[in-house]
Amino acid sequence: NQHRCACKDNFKVCIMNKILWPAIAGGIIIIGLLCWYIYPDTATLTATAQPTMIKAEKDSVDLGTVKYGEKKNAVFKVTNRGDSPLIIRDVRTSCGCTNASWDKHPVKPGKTTEISVVFEPNSLGKFIKSIDILCNIPEQVYSLKILGQVEEN
């Protein structure tokens, strides 16, 4: 009793339908689950999270003199001073010349996390840039700043 493919005589179509497409679908599901685990839906967590309190080691960092075309880094250490996990939903910067990155996982009470900021100037002169942490504190936004002076190379 020989198994005959439902696709009749087209073996390539049979392989695609019975093996390749299910394997692709399984791979997509696995990738989706990994992304869900690595990057939890913090918007949902923030909406349902209990308010907490946070404190930055420094609310502003002076980058000093920055040469035009040079990148400067700043790191802000933020501690969860409340009794509930800190959920950082987003970190927004006031300018496209400033980018922020942070750990997307909740911060347990008493623990500290870091927000890394990279400043790449797009104009000369003095600057003050805002970094707003959107999180589950009563005010909903905690503001930080970087400042300095951009000079020509």
Side-chain angles (χ1 to χ4, degrees), residues 1-5:
N1 211 0
Q2 187 177 6
H3 172 70
R4 186 126 171 108
C5 184

Side-chain angles (χ1 to χ4, degrees), residues 1 27 29 40 50-51 78 89 94 98 102 110-111 117 124-125 127 138:
N1 211 0
I29 290 170
Q50 293 294 319
V78 178
R89 182 169 44 95
S94 60
T98 309
W102 69 99
K111 297 296 180 184
V117 178
L124 300 174
F127 68 88

Side-chain angles (χ1 to χ4, degrees), residues 106-124:
V107 181
K108 293 180 181 179
K111 297 296 180 184
T112 299
T113 190
E114 291 183 350
I115 297 175
S116 298
V117 178
V118 178
F119 173 68
E120 187 173 6
N122 56 12
S123 62
L124 300 174

Side-chain angles (χ1 to χ4, degrees), residues 120-140:
E120 187 173 6
N122 56 12
S123 62
L124 300 174
K126 290 186 178 185
F127 68 88
I128 298 175
K129 304 295 177 185
S130 297
I131 299 99
D132 291 334
I133 305 170
L134 284 69
C135 57
N136 60 319
I137 59 173
E139 301 82 15
Q140 298 182 356

Side-chain angles (χ1 to χ4, degrees), residues 24-113:
I24 291 171
I28 291 171
I29 290 170
I30 289 170
I31 290 169
L33 288 172
L34 280 171
C35 288
W36 175 77
Y37 176 76
I38 294 170
Y39 301 105
D41 182 7
T42 55
T44 303
L45 291 173
T46 305
T48 59
Q50 293 294 319
T52 191
M53 298 183 311
I54 64 172
K55 180 66 179 152
E57 192 175 84
K58 297 179 185 177
D59 288 337
S60 66
V61 172
D62 187 345
L63 296 178
T65 301
V66 181
K67 297 292 183 188
Y68 187 82
E70 173 186 38
K71 291 182 183 181
K72 279 277 190 137
N73 299 323
V75 176
F76 291 93
K77 293 185 179 190
V78 178
T79 302
N80 180 355
R81 295 268 177 101
D83 297 324
S84 300
L86 169 64
I87 314 276
I88 299 175
R89 182 169 44 95
D90 198 7
V91 177
R92 296 184 182 161
T93 60
S94 60
C95 176
C97 61
T98 309
N99 292 308
S101 60
W102 69 99
D103 185 358
K104 310 293 190 277
H105 292 90
V107 181
K108 293 180 181 179
K111 297 296 180 184
T112 299
T113 190

